[in-house]
Each structure stands twice: as structure tokens, then as C-alpha cells.
């Protein structure tokens, strides 16, 4: 999918050759040296510098030029957006490739620069530069065209500064020479300043995604490479460099994200001279990308974000994503999923009863999960046979789907189109459609293999099946799963690696279905959070954040996934007690509050609940619906609470007129009573009515509990005082969160 360049005020104006280009948007400045003949380099990236005249801009280049030191190249190195060894850069090269062992090193020469913004554009012949200022609210795009005459390669670099202050880049490489050019990788880079002395990224595994790991920014290369054929449960949503000790509300941070759902890399690199970069790109398998004469390769977008604290950084990604073309239903419907209620035990009457129970508590979308298609009584058979199982559903899915719609809900369906079981009609008919590195099949995972969608016939078959299902059953939502890594992912016919082709085919398939069925929503699920990146998210309407629905685990998973993904995309379900994955028992308040701060759903067999329990669940759903307009459009904020026993996070309206905060006790506090709760992100000059939501007041049984007066009666206070002095935190047992509302009084 292609997105138009961010628009904003045009920055081109007459200037002398060599004056840098200053782009400004969303509180961020980006200053590019376009003087040539080398590719552009970044003279500054970070907090907005304000308006600068030509003399101030011109002074940035000599001020940033390194001097000559012993045992260093006579010509000072130049770090360009695509780093090149020919400019004395000895870190990770921006372009790795060769033509039968030759042309392994490049020295591109800029030929032209095109600048767009505010509906206008300007062209500059190299080595002439451009200067100008953009208004702080707009965005601009710069396109650089360059050639490598010896290697006979053409390069196009696109650099966009969006209105949110987020930067993204991609490159297009064309082979204009005789013979094949093998591309081993394209890595786009941005420098970060010396004060970025600490790194934060994330690891994890199935059902425990986004585990933070922090350490000093070391000398050398800190590379996060994903070779799973999908993004991966252990993939980091962002690789962040920042001032030591940075947090959600303090410390400058710089980050990189590679928007690609196949093999990829992000890296942080520090050279002995002190130079620091963040970089990213696709990670092709050997021989995977080979360009014949006249062919070209376009890299994925690589995103670079700056922020004063992690909340500010996340807000730039959230505002950018929310600005994509509107195609998602608003408000977000409450989802009811059948998986943890019935698993593979599909029977019409119990499922209709489940749908009726869901509708009673306020669910607006019913999703029939795994088990509806041919031969699918467990996970050992049937994948690939995307026909309704007539033995279980003699009348097809119509009786269930029709009843769901009668109840006022959308009908959704689980699919896993990229996979195939060996025990399936599809695998028996087309064994050559299975991805393999030659004749041997890869090891199975979850009894399944990968269907080679890079094979046009296999792709056409899946297109036809999904198109027919969506048509016949008026499917409004697909939960799209992807339950294994790609191991030895090759094309049997050619023996060549196929992750790149597979990823592009999946994008093509999603785009096709969206075009064919306007309004169709697709959730990206890869055994939970195994495919969460902006490549797939640019097409997805929802993310299944993790297969773990334990609310205590989900607090952390959603907190860290939310650095990249806006909360309204994060599928978060109220699950059964005890929990399906961990066996842990948690109060309904903990499960409901956790789900409220994402895209709320229910994954629980609620048929057996008595009337009071259903009423309590329905009350939580009603509160969510009351607040979801704010929850799904507001700024996500996190208070740095002094007591590690508590996490405090909230949503603050863009105009700061309203806010909703959750105080989440993770363990027993070392202090009694606990310390101060200080909200963040409010309007310092506005007065707020502050009060706990009645539904979240905990019932503590036999204990006596004398809360602070503000807790009982509410309080009105100016935002500045609330954020600086705060309010006494209630003395809460672990896993008993409370919700605090803030309503501007206007006085």
C-alpha cells in the first residue's frame, strides 16, 4: 500500500548553493545537507530549532564536520542516509550487494532533489542545495535521485517528515547494467547525538511479548535481527536510544522501526570516534533479491521518531497512524470471541446461546474462531481446506451468522490462510505448494507447514476461497492468524528463498480483499503478537496483542506494545477466571480495566454466569462504551509513580478537557498508606473535577478502609497543582485497579 507524502507548507525558496534544508513539523526539526555530490546527510535531528536564517543553517555544516585526528582518514568521513564505505564510513554499510563479486562498494552521486509540501514541489539540480522553513504544523517530503556510474545503479531516496514530527525513509535501487545484481540488504540510517547514552529495546516469547531490556549504548553494533519470516514475538517494536535514565515523561529519546512483516533488522551502532546511528531495513536471505537489468527493488519504510520522553515519542507514532486513510469502523465494536469459550467443540445451538449471552452484555461483534472448516476437529488437520465442514454445519454457517446479525452484531471468522496441514485435501492435491528448501520438508510446527503464496497458483486459490467466504456469509471481520515461523522458507520449484515474495503476497492478498469488500476489517494475529509492525498495521484494523489474556501479564504487554501501536488497535479481551493460559485468578475489575485501555472484547464462556455476574460484566461493558470515544482518540500517558507497587496510566483528550486514569496496584506497597498519585498531561491552567468511577471502587470485605476525603467526595483543583502536588493514592490490594475521571470545569 502506498501512502501520499505528508503535506504542509512548501519550504523551497531561493538560496545559494549548499545551504542546508530545514524541515520542521510537530515540534521536530530535521536539517539536511543537500549540497552534493554525495547523498544527503543529516546535520540535525531532534527538538524543534525554531526559525533559522540562511547564515545559521549554513553554519551547521562546518560546526558538525569532524577534524583530522591520528590514524583516521585524511578526508573526514561523511555519514549519509545510506552509509557508504567510499566516504570512510566503517560501520554497517547502507547497501550490501555485488555483481558476481564486483561492484561491492558504491559512491552514489546526487543528480536531483525534489521537495514537496503544501501541495507544491521544487526541483533542484545537484550539487545545488535548498533551504527553507516549514510551519511547525505541516509535513514535507524530499526525493533524492542519484547514480552510481561505475556500478551502473540508480537510487531514489524518499524522506518524509510528517505533521506529527515522525520521519520515514525508503530507497529504490535500479540495476541499469548488464548482468544480474545481487542485493544482500539496504539499510537506511539516521545519526543520534552523543547524549543518547542508553538503549531500550524489547524481547519476549509467545504469550510474553515486549519484555523491556535496557543497557548503556555500547561501542560496536547492537543489532536486532528477525529471521522468522514474520515479525516475531521476540521482535522489538522500537529500538530506542536516549539520555541515560529517560522515562515516559522525561529525557530525550530517538527511535527506529522497520515497517516490514518478513525478515528485518534494526540496529544501533557506535563507532570509536563517537558517531552513533540508528538504522533499519529488510534482511534478505541469501540470493533472495536478484535484479536483472532494468529491474528495481524498493525497500520497506524505515521510521525514525524523536520525543521528550517515551510518551511524546509514542504520541508521534499514534498521531501518524491515526492520520492514515479512514477505513476502520468507529466507534470500535465490542468483540466477543468463541475460542476460550468452546475451542474446537463447534455445535450450532451452544454457539447461538453464546452469541445471545454476548449480545445481552453489550457485545457488538461475534467472532467464530478456529474449528469451523473441513476436517478441523483439532489442530492436526484441515488447514488449507477453507470450506465449511458439512458434517458439523449441514446448513453452512448461515444459521449462526443470521442469528448473530438478528442480535445486532457483526459476524466475524477466524482464518489462517498462510498455513497448511499435511493432513488436508489441499496438501494432498498440491504438495508442491508447501514452502521448502528443495525436496525435504521443514520441521512441522503445530502440525503445520507454510503455504507458498509466492506461487501464483497458490495465491490465486487462497484469494478465491477467502473472497467466496466473505461474500457468502457477509463476513465483516477476519481474525487472520499465523501460527508458526518460516523455517527453510523456499520455493520447491526453484529452490530459492521466498520470505520476500511471501511477505509481498500477503500484503497483496490483504489489499485485494479490502478493495473487493469495502468495510471488511482484518485483525493481525500471529499466535498472538508475533506480527506487529507498521507494514502489516498499515492494512490491519486490529492487533491481537498476545495470546495471553491474563490481565496482570497484559498490563505490561499492552504498555510496551503501545509505544508503537495506538491503544484502539490493541485487541484486549476480558477472559475467564481462572485464566486459560496462567491459571491465575483475578477480580473482574482487573480484567475489565485492563481490557478497557485497548480494543475491548470478551473471550469467555459466559453462558453459565448467574444474573448478578452478567449484570456486573454488562456494567463494565457499558462503562467502556461510555468512555471509548476518549480512550480511542486521546493521548496515551504514563505517570512515573514513585511507588513501584503501582502503575498509573491514562488517556487525556487532545484538547485536555477530559481524562481517565487507571491506578493499577501490581503488588503490596512498602508504604501504608501509599504515596502521591500525580496525573500527567493535563492543562496546567484548567480546573478539573476529580472523582473515582463508582464501578471501580473496590469491595474489601471485612476490612475497614478509611479513604482520603477526595476519594469519597471528589475534588476540584487546578491542573498545575494536581500534576505537581498530586493526590493521596488509595491503599489498594494487588490487582484491584481503580479508575479516576478528570473533567474540566471551565472555571
Amino acid at each position: 500500500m502506498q501512502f501520499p507524502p505528508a503535506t504542509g507548507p512548501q519550504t523551497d525558496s531561493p538560496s545559494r548553493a549548499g545551504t542546508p534544508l530545514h524541515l520542521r513539523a510537530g515540534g521536530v526539526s530535521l536539517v539536511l545537507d543537500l549540497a552534493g555530490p554525495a547523498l544527503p546527510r543529516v546535520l540535525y535531528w531532534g527538538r524543534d530549532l525554531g526559525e533559522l536564517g540562511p547564515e545559521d543553517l549554513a553554519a551547521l555544516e562546518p560546526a558538525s564536520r569532524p577534524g583530522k585526528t591520528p590514524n583516521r582518514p585524511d578526508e573526514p568521513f561523511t555519514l549519509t542516509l545510506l552509509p557508504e564505505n567510499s566516504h570512510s564510513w566503517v560501520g554497517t554499510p547502507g547497501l550490501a550487494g555485488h555483481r558476481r563479486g564486483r561492484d561491492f562498494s558504491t559512491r552514489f552521486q546526487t543528480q536531483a532533489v525534489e521537495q514537496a509540501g503544501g501541495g507544491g514541489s521544487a526541483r533542484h539540480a545537484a550539487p545545488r542545495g535548498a533551504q527553507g522553513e516549514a510551519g511547525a504544523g505541516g509535513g514535507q517530503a524530499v526525493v533524492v535521485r542519484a547514480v552510481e556510474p561505475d556500478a551502473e545503479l540508480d537510487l531514489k531516496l524518499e524522506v518524509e517528515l510528517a505533521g506529527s514530527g515522525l520521519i520515514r525513509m525508503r530507497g529504490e535501487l535500479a540495476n541499469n547494467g548488464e548482468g544480474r545484481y545481487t542485493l544482500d540488504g539496504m539499510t537506511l540510517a539516521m545519526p543520534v547525538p552523543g547524549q543518547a547514552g542508553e538503549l531500550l529495546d524489547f524481547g519476549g516469547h509467545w504469550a510474553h511479548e515486549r519484555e523491556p531490556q535496557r543497557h548503556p549504548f555500547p561501542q560496536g553494533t547492537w543489532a536486532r535481527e528477525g529471521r522468522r519470516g514474520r515479525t516475531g514475538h521476540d521482535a522489538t517494536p522500537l529500538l530506542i536510544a536516549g539520555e541515560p535514565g529517560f522515562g515516559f515523561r522525561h529525557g530525550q529519546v530517538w527511535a527506529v522501526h522497520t515497517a516490514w512483516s518478513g525478515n528485518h533488522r534494526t540496529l544501533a551502532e557506535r563507532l570509536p570516534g563517537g558517531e552513533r546511528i540508528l538504522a533499519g531495513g529488510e534482511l534478505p536471505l541469501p540470493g533472495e533479491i536478484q535484479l536483472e537489468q532494468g529491474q528495481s527493488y524498493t525497500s520497506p519504510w524505515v521510521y525514525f521518531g524523536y520525543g521528550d520522553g517515551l510518551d511524546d515519542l509514542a504520541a508521534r507514532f499514534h498521531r501518524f497512524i491515526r492520520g492514515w486513510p479512514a477505513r476502520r469502523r468507529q466507534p470500535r465494536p465490542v468483540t466477543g470471541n468463541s475460542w476460550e469459550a468452546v475451542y474446537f467443540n463447534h455445535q450450532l445451538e451452544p454457539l447461538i446461546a453464546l452469541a445471545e449471552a454476548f449480545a445481552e452484555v453489550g457485545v457488538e461483534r461475534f467472532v467464530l474462531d478456529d474449528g469451523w472448516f473441513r476436517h478441523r476437529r483439532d489442530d492436526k488437520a484441515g488447514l488449507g481446506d477453507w470450506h465449511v465442514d458439512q458434517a458439523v454445519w449441514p446448513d453452512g454457517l448461515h444459521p449462526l451468522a443470521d442469528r448473530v446479525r438478528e442480535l445486532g452484531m457483526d459476524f466475524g471468522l477466524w482464518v489462517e490462510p498462510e498455513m497448511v496441514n499435511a493432513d488436508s485435501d489441499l496438501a494432498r492435491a498440491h504438495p508442491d505448494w508447501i514452502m521448502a528448501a528443495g525436496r525435504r520438508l521443514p520441521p512441522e510446527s503445530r502440525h503445520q507447514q507454510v503455504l507458498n503464496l509466492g506461487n501464483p497458483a497458490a495465491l490465486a486459490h487462497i484469494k478465491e476461497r477467502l473472497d467466496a467466504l466473505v461474500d457468502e456469509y457477509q463476513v465483516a471481520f477476519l481474525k487472520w492468524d499465523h501460527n508458526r515461523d518460516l523455517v527453510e522458507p523456499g520455493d520447491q520449484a526453484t529452490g530459492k528463498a521466498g520470505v520476500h515474495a511471501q511477505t509481498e503476497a500477503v500484503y497483496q492478498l490483504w489489499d485485494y480483499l479490502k478493495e473487493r469488500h469495502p468495510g471488511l476489517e482484518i485483525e493481525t494475529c500471529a499466535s498472538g503478537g508475533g506480527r506487529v509492525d507498521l507494514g502489516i498495521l498499515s492494512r490491519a484494523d486490529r492487533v491481537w496483542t498476545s495470546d495471553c489474556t491474563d490481565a496482570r501479564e497484559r498490563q505490561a504487554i499492552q504498555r510496551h506494545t503501545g509505544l508503537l501501536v495506538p491503544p484502539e488497535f490493541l485487541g484486549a479481551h476480558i477472559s475467564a477466571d481462572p485464566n486459560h493460559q496462567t491459571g491465575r485468578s483475578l477480580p473482574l475489575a482487573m480484567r475489565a480495566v485492563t481490557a478497557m485501555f485497548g480494543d475491548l472484547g470478551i473471550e469467555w464462556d459466559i453462558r453459565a454466569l448467574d444474573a448478578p455476574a452478567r449484570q456486573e460484566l454488562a456494567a463494565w461493558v457499558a462503562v467502556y462504551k461510555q468512555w471509548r470515544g476518549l480512550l480511542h482518540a486521546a493521548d496515551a500517558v504514563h505517570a512515573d509513580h514513585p511507588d513501584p507497587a503501582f502503575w498509573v496510566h491514562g488517556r487525556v483528550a487532545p484538547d485536555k478537557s477530559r481524562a481517565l486514569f487507571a491506578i493499577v496496584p501490581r503488588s503490596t506497597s512498602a508504604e501504608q498508606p501509599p504515596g502521591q498519585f500525580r496525573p500527567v498531561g493535563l492543562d496546567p491552567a484548567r480546573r478539573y473535577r476529580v472523582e473515582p468511577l463508582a464501578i471501580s471502587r473496590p469491595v474489601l470485605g471485612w476490612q475497614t478502609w478509611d479513604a482520603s476525603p477526595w476519594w469519597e467526595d471528589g475534588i476540584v483543583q487546578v491542573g498545575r497543582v494536581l500534576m505537581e502536588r498530586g493526590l493521596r493514592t488509595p491503599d489498594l490490594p494487588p490487582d484491584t485497579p481503580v479508575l479516576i475521571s478528570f473533567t474540566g470545569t471551565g472555571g
Side-chain angles (χ1 to χ4, degrees), residues 444-576:
E444 287 192 350
S445 179
R446 290 193 58 169
H447 314 289
Q448 61 193 53
Q449 297 284 4
V450 181
L451 190 66
N452 182 12
L453 297 183
N455 181 314
L459 179 61
H461 171 77
I462 294 298
K463 277 185 178 179
E464 184 278 327
R465 280 288 74 225
L466 295 180
D467 188 29
L469 284 166
V470 174
D471 250 349
E472 180 175 358
Y473 294 107
Q474 301 174 50
V475 174
F477 177 86
L478 290 175
K479 178 178 178 179
W480 190 297
D481 218 334
H482 184 297
N483 274 312
R484 65 158 295 166
D485 294 336
L486 275 58
V487 177
E488 293 193 307
D491 185 298
Q492 289 191 43
T494 64
K496 294 181 179 178
V499 172
H500 179 83
Q502 182 83 354
T503 306
E504 289 199 324
V506 171
Y507 290 165
Q508 178 188 340
L509 182 53
W510 282 42
D511 293 345
Y512 169 82
L513 290 171
K514 291 274 190 160
E515 183 177 353
R516 283 274 299 153
H517 304 279
L520 173 68
E521 292 193 350
I522 305 179
E523 176 181 57
T524 173
C525 173
S527 42
R531 184 156 61 184
V532 180
D533 62 83
L534 295 192
I536 201 70
L537 198 64
S538 66
R539 298 159 170 85
D541 303 280
R542 195 176 197 251
V543 169
W544 184 229
T545 318
S546 175
D547 271 351
C548 182
T549 55
D550 181 301
R552 189 186 296 174
E553 301 289 330
R554 271 302 194 100
Q555 281 284 329
I557 294 169
Q558 292 170 200
R559 178 185 184 92
H560 298 134
T561 308
L563 288 173
L564 176 70
V565 182
E568 66 270 23
F569 282 81
L570 299 176
H573 291 178
I574 303 172
S575 62

Side-chain angles (χ1 to χ4, degrees), residues 376-449:
R376 191 66 167 178
R377 304 282 61 79
D378 54 34
D379 65 353
K380 297 180 177 63
L383 279 178
D385 298 340
W386 301 110
H387 297 266
V388 176
D389 194 325
Q390 294 297 314
V392 178
W393 301 94
D395 298 315
L397 299 178
H398 292 292
L400 176 62
D402 290 346
R403 179 57 180 149
V404 164
R405 283 187 283 270
E406 287 174 3
L407 293 166
M409 297 184 289
D410 291 341
F411 181 66
L413 209 55
W414 179 95
V415 293
E416 193 175 3
E418 297 156 76
M419 303 298 156
V420 61
N421 287 124
D423 185 5
S424 67
D425 295 340
L426 183 66
R428 285 184 283 270
H430 299 284
D432 54 314
W433 286 4
I434 296 174
M435 295 196 86
R439 294 184 178 180
R440 70 175 179 273
L441 290 180
E444 287 192 350
S445 179
R446 290 193 58 169
H447 314 289
Q448 61 193 53
Q449 297 284 4

Side-chain angles (χ1 to χ4, degrees), residues 75 176 201 349:
E75 178 184 334
N176 292 323
D201 62 351
E349 293 307 320

Side-chain angles (χ1 to χ4, degrees), residues 83-106:
E84 294 181 283
N85 186 244
S86 59
H87 290 290
S88 301
W89 174 253
V90 292
T92 300
L95 188 66
H98 61 92
R99 199 188 304 276
R100 295 184 178 179
R102 300 176 62 88
D103 299 328
F104 68 92
S105 181
T106 61

Side-chain angles (χ1 to χ4, degrees), residues 179-436:
R180 177 182 302 154
Y181 183 84
T182 300
L183 178 64
D184 295 322
M186 179 183 289
T187 304
L188 301 172
M190 288 277 284
V192 294
Q195 66 260 39
E198 189 174 38
L199 295 179
L200 168 65
D201 62 351
F202 300 85
H205 53 75
W206 174 77
H208 188 72
E209 297 88 340
R210 322 296 173 236
E211 177 69 20
Q213 46 192 25
R214 294 179 76 133
H215 56 83
F217 198 145
Q219 191 174 107
T221 304
W222 179 261
R224 297 298 310 276
E225 296 185 343
R227 301 175 183 270
R228 299 180 179 276
R230 57 179 177 174
T231 318
H233 295 92
D234 58 338
T236 183
L238 295 170
L239 174 53
I240 302 166
E243 295 176 326
F246 65 84
F248 279 99
R249 306 300 298 180
H250 65 278
Q252 294 187 88
V253 291
W254 296 260
V256 61
H257 170 80
T258 302
W260 182 247
S261 307
N263 292 344
H264 64 282
R265 69 185 329 216
T266 54
L267 61 91
E269 196 162 51
R270 177 183 169 191
L271 299 189
E275 302 86 4
R276 292 167 166 85
I277 67 165
L278 296 175
E282 183 181 1
L283 184 63
L285 290 172
E288 190 168 19
I289 301 176
Q290 301 190 37
L291 304 178
E292 302 294 345
Q293 186 174 20
Q295 292 184 334
S296 64
Y297 162 83
T298 301
S299 78
W301 287 107
V302 181
Y303 288 79
F304 298 91
Y306 165 81
D308 279 310
L310 295 174
D311 278 349
D312 189 35
L313 171 68
R316 298 192 194 286
F317 280 96
H318 295 178
R319 288 196 293 268
F320 181 82
I321 293 168
R322 286 168 172 169
W324 283 346
R327 61 191 182 282
R328 304 169 69 248
R329 172 176 159 185
Q330 296 294 345
R332 304 300 303 140
V334 176
T335 297
N337 188 283
S338 71
W339 177 244
E340 291 185 19
V342 301
Y343 302 100
F344 290 107
N345 186 20
H346 283 203
Q347 301 177 56
L348 177 59
E349 293 307 320
L351 282 165
I352 285 180
L354 179 64
E356 291 171 345
F358 278 159
E360 181 184 332
V361 298
V363 168
E364 298 158 313
R365 168 183 288 155
F366 180 90
V367 179
L368 182 64
D369 212 289
D370 196 357
W372 56 268
F373 49 97
R374 193 179 294 168
H375 314 307
R376 191 66 167 178
R377 304 282 61 79
D378 54 34
D379 65 353
K380 297 180 177 63
L383 279 178
D385 298 340
W386 301 110
H387 297 266
V388 176
D389 194 325
Q390 294 297 314
V392 178
W393 301 94
D395 298 315
L397 299 178
H398 292 292
L400 176 62
D402 290 346
R403 179 57 180 149
V404 164
R405 283 187 283 270
E406 287 174 3
L407 293 166
M409 297 184 289
D410 291 341
F411 181 66
L413 209 55
W414 179 95
V415 293
E416 193 175 3
E418 297 156 76
M419 303 298 156
V420 61
N421 287 124
D423 185 5
S424 67
D425 295 340
L426 183 66
R428 285 184 283 270
H430 299 284
D432 54 314
W433 286 4
I434 296 174
M435 295 196 86

